Amino acid sequence: MYSAVQPSGNLTIGNFTGAIRNWVRMQNDFDCFYAIADMHAITVRQDPALLRRRTIELAALYLACGLDPEKCTLYVQSQVSAHAELGWILNTIAYVGEMERMTQFKDKSQKHADNINMGLMDYPVLMAADILLYQADYVPVGIDQKQHVEITRDLAIRFNHRYGDTFRVPEPYILKEGAKIMSLQDPMKKMSKSDENLNASVFLADDRDTVIRKFKRAVTDSDSEIRISDEKPGITNLLNIYAAFKGCTLQDAEREFQGSGYGDFKLAVGETVADALAPVQEKQKRLLADKAYLNDVLKSGAENAFRAARRTLSKVCRKIGFYRGE
Ligand code: ATP
Ligand code: LTN
């Protein structure tokens, strides 16, 4: 199992339900590697001091959400140089045309038109290197990252075909509830940590009042029926959020609120989310007060990751024909 999140901003409840929550569930049954993708984060401009701070905060958040360093490997991507090395090699079998077609590249090029750097286009190749280094079977991500896992599969198959069996071909692992949380202000748009409208996203760091206020202001529609429907994207999104946090199905959530008014429904969703976030916030704060412990976790995580990654990288270098002595 392999996944990562970029330390590029405050995490939203979408990052939690689409990714991290599912990582926690898998740690008992799989050999899991979870990274903080700082090398991916610098594909858009970052303030160095802030990047450093967000990295350690994300490490604390991983632990606060329930990831256990005894059960899985938690580390910072840039501390394991094999990612950059394999990324380079995979670049030579990735085509410019297929990278230009990636939805995230197109979106981010538009958003950062003054900084369409090579790294932004190369982002999926580095992501493929991350996943393939650890011979992952599954990659737990939100729906928006599915296309990147598919390109990873293509690159793995292409490499195996050209050089002989080397990489395991991974699959995305996506749970239905919470795989795509939409913006509270525009339910046709994905909730994102970098949205300029602060009311659009609920952050894991938001306090109770803020969470409840944001849900109260969530955009819905003018009729008053609570049901799942493409014509009611705002209500469907709130039902989805409720289901993801309650651990029930979307249909169960719909049944529970049949006949309720919008006001009560929004309050119930807000309270459910706030109740779930409070213990995570408290634990993160406690962990951040003990940097020595966090540094230890990340150091042994990087050592562990390096050992696993080196095995794959040696195999790749051999297959390609890099000279290592006769
Ligand atoms: P940015 O706005 O900086 O692009 P982001 O909020 O889209 O960031 P990422 O770091 O790209 O977040 O994603 C981290 C993980 O969270 C990925 O697995 C991604 O699929 C998942 N994710 C992101 N947004 C959502 C969402 N709205 N619903 C469900 N999962 C999401
Ligand atoms: N692109 C991912 C972060 C990421 C990732 C990965 C996810 C970097 N490397 C490997 C899964 C597997 C994102 O969240 N935007």
Side-chain angles (χ1 to χ4, degrees):
M1 204 95 188
Y2 189 93
S3 199
V5 168
Q6 307 176 68
S8 55
N10 293 319
L11 265 62
T12 69
I13 55 171
N15 300 133
F16 178 69
T17 61
I20 300 178
R21 181 187 58 144
N22 302 330
W23 305 0
V24 176
R25 291 186 182 162
M26 306 319 290
Q27 64 179 349
N28 291 321
D29 305 320
F30 286 83
D31 191 7
C32 301
F33 291 83
Y34 298 129
I36 297 173
D38 55 348
M39 290 164 69
H40 277 99
I42 59 167
T43 56
V44 306
R45 239 172 245 128
Q46 302 289 341
D47 173 72
L50 197 56
L51 180 65
R52 209 170 290 127
R53 199 182 80 214
R54 280 179 172 154
T55 301
I56 194 75
E57 283 176 0
L58 188 52
L61 191 68
Y62 280 3
L63 297 176
C65 287
L67 290 175
D68 177 352
E70 301 290 321
K71 293 182 184 161
C72 53
T73 299
L74 306 174
Y75 72 102
V76 178
Q77 183 188 28
S78 65
Q79 291 180 12
V80 180
S81 59
H83 292 255
E85 295 174 58
L86 182 61
W88 176 259
I89 293 169
L90 293 177
N91 270 333
T92 64
I93 63 160
Y95 299 115
V96 171
E98 62 192 349
M99 293 305 136
E100 280 171 337
R101 280 196 295 276
M102 294 287 111
T103 309
Q104 182 181 288
F105 173 64
K106 288 193 265 186
D107 287 352
K108 291 207 171 171
S109 302
Q110 238 174 30
K111 221 161 122 190
H112 306 276
D114 59 334
N115 184 22
I116 308 176
N117 60 75
M118 290 294 289
L120 197 60
M121 185 156 92
D122 206 25
Y123 184 111
V125 177
L126 180 60
M127 182 161 156
D130 298 344
I131 298 167
L132 298 180
L133 273 177
Y134 300 91
Q135 304 287 355
D137 291 297
Y138 299 106
V139 183
V141 283
I143 284 176
D144 63 299
Q145 291 297 314
K146 191 168 168 228
Q147 197 182 37
H148 289 163
V149 182
E150 277 158 7
I151 201 86
T152 301
R153 289 172 59 84
D154 293 345
L155 292 175
I157 292 168
R158 198 175 300 160
F159 190 98
N160 289 346
H161 184 70
R162 204 165 293 175
Y163 296 105
D165 210 17
T166 309
F167 295 123
R168 207 168 281 202
V169 181
E171 278 174 40
Y173 176 88
I174 297 171
L175 291 188
K176 208 161 119 242
E177 275 77 22
K180 193 166 187 189
I181 302 288
M182 309 309 280
S183 153
L184 295 189
Q185 291 300 312
D186 176 2
M188 303 310 281
K189 217 173 84 184
K190 183 183 85 115
M191 184 182 286
S192 154
K193 53 170 125 78
S194 49
D195 202 310
E196 277 134 37
N197 183 345
L198 290 178
N199 286 322
S201 306
V202 177
F203 298 102
L204 296 183
D206 281 345
D207 63 36
R208 189 178 184 83
D209 288 349
T210 308
V211 173
I212 290 173
R213 179 172 43 80
K214 284 182 178 175
F215 279 106
K216 212 182 267 175
R217 291 197 187 155
V219 168
T220 47
D221 51 51
S222 53
D223 85 46
S224 60
E225 221 186 326
I226 296 172
R227 65 183 160 84
I228 308 161
S229 159
D230 287 345
E231 282 144 35
K232 296 173 76 75
I235 291 295
T236 305
N237 186 38
L238 294 180
L239 283 168
N240 196 16
I241 294 172
Y242 183 81
F245 277 88
K246 268 277 166 189
C248 64
T249 66
L250 193 57
Q251 285 70 24
D252 285 341
E254 183 185 43
R255 221 166 294 129
E256 189 174 334
F257 290 103
Q258 231 164 33
S260 304
Y262 279 4
D264 289 346
F265 170 53
K266 286 177 169 179
L267 183 63
V269 181
E271 283 181 334
T272 301
V273 172
D275 286 347
L277 297 189
V280 173
Q281 292 168 353
E282 216 170 283
K283 196 159 173 215
Q284 188 195 20
K285 205 165 132 202
R286 236 180 309 127
L287 284 158
L288 278 170
D290 190 355
K291 293 266 165 50
Y293 170 70
L294 292 174
N295 291 340
D296 272 355
V297 167
L298 293 177
K299 183 160 177 272
S300 61
E303 284 163 3
N304 224 358
F306 176 73
R307 259 193 306 276
R310 195 181 45 187
R311 228 173 293 138
T312 303
L313 191 62
S314 304
K315 195 169 161 190
V316 169
C317 290
R318 196 165 6 97
K319 297 259 186 186
I320 282 197
F322 284 172
Y323 186 72
R324 295 290 182 268
E326 309 262 25

